[in-house]
């Protein structure tokens, strides 16, 4: 299916399904307890077993021709093109430790699934703390949250994952917001080069720091703001430089009714993030003495809208990224794969590049227990130098069947396409990107 | 000269006698007055620490009112022990409490024993919902109401 036709198909589907993610206040839902009625300790969590499948088409061109293509392998191990997996298994406790004073809330959550948090780059799996925050609600208009928690930002990242309507993130969110932390830029290509493996968990849309935020109700509108300062070095570890990340967030939502993560309403939001990352630039040889370690700016911003009313839900968001662009792997091979010329595939980072992307998403409840979903997303990676640009497009069709309010099964089929738009179709990168398969996924989700 | 008609002392005494009950009624706080035409009298107890019970007791009150009608059922909710949190001023259920009082005349009683215990623990008195009325002891209030013919329900 060509890109133009997919765009048209997406647009048509969107019109039919009506304008989707959630209209909910994630700042308040994830860490703030209701005044006067919080439990001392509420245990909760969820499990997401799943199956994902691609055809596993091998690379058609480049030095790693005939080997596995990273985008056709299933993470986090990237060893197969189809597998059953426990994507997430989280358990947590939240509440007010001293219920007579519900102005102090806590939130702690642990991840035991098999994913980029517990097993970054296919390393050894382990339990990882995803959230550990304390919220102080003593100052009217300025609640304070301290610890490790979701930073204010993109709707797809900020929303609670157990009410996410799809199995996989959009390309742009995965590409520029779900941050991987590596030491090198990946420019060393020799067989003696150090492996550019992830330094730890993906950021999981979280940071360690302090956030000031609150929500104000004006008639049936709810306005929220958040300002946060964090390490900008991911979760469950210390900072690696003295520069801190700054996060700004605003949202205004007309509330139609209901409460919780599936509250009905129409929300407008905007966000901005800026920080610094320390990266070692390899000089194309295996001698670390020649490497240069520098700080690079990393900026992200975006805006969007969500809508949920009756049987309909919809969302759209635009995201812009400047600096520290994750730039795939050498030849789209699995990191560590050995090419015929002796090169070892590495994870690459383009520290001075730019990227942008957007998505549009809609859902319609055919029956109270059955929802159909459609999402189109585009990711333009490395747009500063035209020859570097890669364009990823995915059109996802989905269905969710709700056994009850807390148990559902999700099916997704992703029509995936990618190209180097400024290079001829016969160029090597386009031949490599032609390898990209569609992906089918089935996931069961149970919340307790 | 204007001639003023004066009541005789006897008539004046009768008038005072008739007014006395009305004056006595006027002394009673309006919100605390039981509903004279209520066919069902219910006292609901909230003494649990589980926040779900707060929602439940308000739901029960609401359902009783919906079923019998606001004039046919007289409801008082008595909060004591950990259940007193329902009547804290900042409780997230405050809008529902306000609605039950305004629309259906539901009464809310707060146990003073618990109030004093909470004051000791907090180091300051908790701010209570303006619709909450202090009673010396929640359990005594329940016994009094039961003796007056109220049916006790603990959701």
């Amino acid at each position: 299916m060509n890109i133009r036709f997919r765009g048209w198909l997406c647009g048509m589907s969107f019109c039919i399904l009506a304008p989707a993610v959630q209209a909910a206040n994630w700042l308040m839902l994830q860490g703030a307890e209701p005044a006067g009625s919080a439990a001392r300790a509420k245990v909760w969590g969820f499990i997401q077993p799943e199956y994902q499948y691609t055809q596993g088409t091998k690379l058609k061109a480049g030095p790693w021709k005939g080997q596995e293509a990273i985008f056709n392998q299933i993470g986090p191990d990237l060893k197969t093109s189809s597998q059953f997996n426990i994507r997430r298994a989280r358990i947590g406790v939240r509440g007010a430790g001293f219920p007579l004073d519900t102005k102090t809330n806590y939130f702690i959550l642990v991840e035991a699934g098999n994913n980029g948090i517990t097993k970054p780059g296919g390393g050894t799996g382990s339990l990882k703390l995803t959230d550990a925050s304390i919220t102080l609600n003593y100052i009217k208009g300025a609640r304070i949250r301290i610890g490790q928690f979701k930073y204010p930002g993109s709707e797809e990242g900020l929303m609670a994952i157990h009410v996410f309507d799809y199995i996989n993130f959009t390309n742009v969110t995965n590409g520029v917001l779900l941050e991987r932390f590596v030491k090198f830029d990946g420019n060393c290509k020799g067989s003696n080069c150090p492996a550019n493996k992830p330094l730890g968990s993906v950021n999981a849309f979280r940071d360690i720091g302090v956030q000031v935020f609150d929500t104000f109700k004006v008639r049936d509108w709810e306005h929220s703001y958040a300002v946060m300062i964090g390490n900008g070095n991911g979760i469950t570890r210390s900072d690696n430089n003295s520069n801190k990340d700054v996060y700004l967030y605003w949202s205004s939502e007309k509330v139609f009714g209901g409460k919780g993560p599936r509250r009905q309403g129409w929300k407008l939001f905007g966000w901005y993030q800026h920080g610094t990352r320390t990266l070692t630039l390899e000089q194309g040889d295996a001698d670390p003495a020649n490497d240069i370690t520098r700080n690079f700016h990393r900026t992200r911003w975006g805006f969007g809208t969500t809508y949920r009313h009756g049987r309909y839900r919809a969302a759209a968001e635009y995201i812009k990224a400047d600096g520290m662009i994750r730039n795939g792997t050498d030849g789209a091979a699995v990191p560590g794969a050995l090419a015929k010329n002796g090169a070892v595939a590495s994870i690459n980072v383009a520290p001075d590049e730019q990227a942008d992307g957007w998505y549009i998403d809609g859902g319609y409840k055919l029956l109270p227990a059955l929802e159909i979903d459609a999402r189109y997303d585009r990711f333009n990676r490395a747009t500063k130098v035209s020859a570097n640009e890669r364009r990823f497009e995915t059109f996802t069709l989905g269905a969710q069947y709700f056994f009850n309010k807390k148990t559902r099964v999700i099916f997704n089929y992703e029509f995936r396409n990618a190209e180097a738009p400024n290079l001829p179709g016969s160029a090597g990168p386009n031949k490599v990107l032609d390898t990209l398969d569609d992906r089918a996924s089935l996931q069961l989700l149970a919340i307790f | 000269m204007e001639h003023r008609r004066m009541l005789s002392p006897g008539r004046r005494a009768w008038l005072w006698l008739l007014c006395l009950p009305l004056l006595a009624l006027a002394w009673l706080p309006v919100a605390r007055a039981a509903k004279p035409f209520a066919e069902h009298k219910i006292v609901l107890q909230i003494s649990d620490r589980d926040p779900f019970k707060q929602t439940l007791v308000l739901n029960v009150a609401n359902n009783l009112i919906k079923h019998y009608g606001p004039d046919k059922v007289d409801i008082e909710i008595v909060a004591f022990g950990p259940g007193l949190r329902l009547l804290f001023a900042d409780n997230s259920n405050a809008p529902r409490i306000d609605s039950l009082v305004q629309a259906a005349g539901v009464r809310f009683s707060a146990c003073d024993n618990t109030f004093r215990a909470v004051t000791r623990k907090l180091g300051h008195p908790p701010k209570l919902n303006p619709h909450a009325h202090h009673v010396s002891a929640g359990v005594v209030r329940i016994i009094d109401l039961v003796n007056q013919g109220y049916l006790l329900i603990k959701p």
Side-chain angles (χ1 to χ4, degrees):
Chain A
M1 192 186 290
N2 66 46
I3 288 177
R4 191 168 293 174
F5 178 68
R6 282 184 196 179
W8 176 85
L9 189 61
C10 161
M12 287 306 291
S13 302
F14 191 74
C15 291
I16 292 165
L17 294 172
V21 188
Q22 318 293 338
N25 191 330
W26 304 117
L27 297 173
M28 301 300 291
L29 284 172
Q30 299 175 105
E33 302 297 330
S37 55
R40 184 189 297 276
K42 182 185 176 189
V43 179
W44 69 286
F46 58 92
I47 303 169
Q48 288 178 323
E50 68 175 28
Y51 176 78
Q52 296 214 31
Y53 170 86
T54 73
Q55 279 189 305
T57 304
K58 304 282 191 288
L59 289 162
K60 290 176 182 170
W64 284 267
K65 184 179 177 182
Q67 296 194 37
E68 283 80 14
I70 186 170
F71 36 63
N72 292 337
Q73 301 296 98
I74 310 296
D77 300 278
L78 303 171
K79 287 177 180 167
T80 176
S81 58
S82 68
Q83 70 172 13
F84 292 98
N85 185 28
I86 304 298
R87 177 74 165 266
R88 297 182 187 89
R90 295 186 188 173
I91 185 163
V93 186
R94 60 184 295 178
F98 184 49
L100 288 178
D101 176 11
T102 47
K103 287 186 164 59
T104 301
N105 307 148
Y106 70 91
F107 186 103
I108 187 164
L109 190 64
V110 171
E111 170 68 277
N114 185 36
N115 54 41
I117 297 173
T118 55
K119 216 174 175 185
T124 307
S126 62
L127 278 178
K128 278 278 162 53
L129 188 72
T130 62
D131 297 80
S133 69
I134 297 166
T135 301
L136 305 172
N137 304 299
Y138 291 92
I139 306 168
K140 206 170 185 179
R143 298 170 194 258
I144 299 168
R145 182 167 293 155
I146 301 165
Q148 178 175 300
F149 52 91
K150 281 199 168 183
Y151 55 70
S154 161
E155 178 75 8
E156 204 175 353
L158 185 57
M159 73 183 304
I161 194 66
H162 56 279
V163 290
F164 187 43
D165 293 295
Y166 296 90
I167 295 169
N168 293 307
F169 294 118
T170 58
N171 287 306
V172 61
T173 295
N174 187 37
V176 298
L177 299 181
L178 191 62
E179 191 174 0
R180 279 77 162 174
F181 299 91
V182 289
K183 186 175 181 182
F184 304 103
D185 65 343
N187 198 35
C188 182
K189 307 299 181 192
S191 55
N192 295 324
C193 292
N196 197 20
K197 286 185 173 176
L199 295 171
S201 302
V202 297
N203 73 353
F205 311 111
R206 290 160 170 87
D207 199 358
I208 305 169
V210 57
Q211 174 182 265
V212 178
F213 69 104
D214 212 340
T215 290
F216 306 92
K217 286 178 183 164
V218 182
R219 288 187 288 277
D220 51 354
W221 281 84
E222 194 175 273
H223 307 283
S224 304
Y225 81 93
V227 178
M228 178 181 173
I229 296 174
N231 285 340
N233 195 38
I235 56 174
T236 67
R237 62 173 182 273
S238 317
D239 206 351
N240 65 343
N241 61 41
S242 58
N243 301 298
K244 298 292 167 268
D245 278 30
V246 174
Y247 304 84
L248 304 174
Y249 178 85
W250 150 83
S251 74
S252 289
E253 179 178 356
K254 184 176 172 63
V255 179
F256 300 142
K259 59 180 182 178
R262 294 183 188 277
R263 184 172 73 182
Q264 306 215 342
W266 172 48
K267 182 164 74 179
L268 299 162
F269 61 91
W271 53 273
Y272 172 86
Q273 304 164 1
H274 180 77
T276 302
R277 298 290 180 270
T278 303
L279 190 71
T280 298
L281 305 179
E282 296 172 311
Q283 299 305 301
D285 55 44
D287 185 358
N290 295 328
D291 293 348
I292 301 165
T293 299
R294 275 179 51 195
N295 284 340
F296 292 92
H297 290 298
R298 178 184 183 274
T299 303
R300 305 285 185 267
W301 58 266
F303 58 88
T305 183
T306 68
Y307 176 88
R308 177 183 286 278
H309 198 205
R311 290 169 170 245
Y312 298 94
R313 60 166 197 83
E317 186 171 5
Y318 175 79
I319 294 164
K320 174 77 181 176
D322 191 354
M324 294 300 293
I325 305 298
R326 190 158 58 88
N327 208 23
T329 58
D330 296 320
V334 174
L338 190 64
K340 287 167 191 159
N341 62 8
V344 177
S346 173
I347 297 170
N348 297 317
V349 178
D352 291 318
E353 263 291 359
Q354 295 178 337
D356 66 276
W358 52 274
Y359 63 84
I360 190 164
D361 164 32
Y364 177 73
K365 279 209 164 187
L366 282 174
L367 301 167
L370 180 64
E371 178 174 312
I372 53 167
D373 304 293
R375 181 180 70 186
Y376 174 80
D377 69 86
R378 177 181 284 199
F379 177 35
N380 306 310
R381 190 181 80 190
T383 53
K384 206 168 169 182
V385 178
S386 63
N388 292 342
E389 185 175 348
R390 303 287 182 271
R391 182 178 296 163
F392 297 86
E393 279 191 322
T394 300
F395 178 58
T396 308
L397 287 176
Q400 302 180 71
Y401 181 80
F402 295 78
F403 295 102
N404 56 46
K405 198 176 169 185
K406 294 191 171 184
T407 311
R408 66 190 156 120
V409 62
I410 311 167
F411 172 74
N412 283 173
Y413 189 88
E414 297 165 81
F415 299 91
R416 303 194 299 172
N417 194 14
E419 63 177 357
N422 303 313
L423 297 176
S426 57
N430 272 321
K431 286 183 181 169
V432 167
L433 292 170
D434 277 346
T435 311
L436 181 62
D437 290 334
D438 290 349
R439 183 166 54 192
S441 320
L442 188 69
Q443 185 180 78
L444 184 64
L445 168 66
I447 306 167
F448 57 90
Chain B
M1 188 177 168
E2 189 183 349
H3 175 73
R4 295 177 66 192
R5 284 199 298 176
M6 300 289 287
L7 290 172
S8 68
R11 279 188 167 176
R12 209 179 295 166
W14 273 110
L15 200 61
W16 274 110
L17 212 60
L18 283 170
C19 288
L20 270 174
L22 292 173
L23 285 169
L25 274 177
W27 274 101
L28 290 173
V30 174
R32 304 295 290 168
K35 295 175 183 173
F37 304 109
E39 293 166 0
H40 305 277
K41 297 196 289 186
I42 312 287
V43 53
L44 295 171
Q45 175 185 332
I46 170 79
S47 54
D48 289 77
R49 70 175 72 247
D50 184 354
F52 174 69
K53 291 292 180 72
Q54 297 184 4
T55 312
L56 186 61
V57 78
L58 297 176
N59 287 349
V60 169
N62 199 46
N63 290 339
L64 287 167
I65 291 157
K66 266 201 291 191
H67 183 79
Y68 293 115
D71 295 330
K72 302 288 183 190
V73 62
D74 178 30
I75 300 172
E76 181 164 331
I77 296 177
V78 180
F80 63 94
L84 186 69
R85 289 203 299 157
L86 173 66
L87 299 182
F88 282 8
D90 66 349
N91 187 287
S92 55
N93 293 298
R96 291 193 68 193
I97 292 173
D98 190 55
S99 162
L100 284 168
V101 172
Q102 302 294 347
V106 174
R107 302 186 302 279
F108 289 85
S109 294
C111 171
D112 251 352
N113 288 334
T114 307
F115 183 83
R116 281 194 294 274
V118 170
T119 302
R120 278 197 300 276
K121 283 185 181 174
L122 286 174
H124 60 84
K127 200 175 171 193
L128 287 190
N129 188 304
H131 296 300
H133 292 269
H134 288 262
V135 294
S136 61
V139 70
V140 172
R141 177 66 182 165
I142 288 174
I143 291 167
D144 288 348
L145 290 170
V146 168
N147 287 339
Q148 290 169 32
Y150 280 71
L151 182 66
L152 170 63
I153 296 173
K154 187 189 172 191

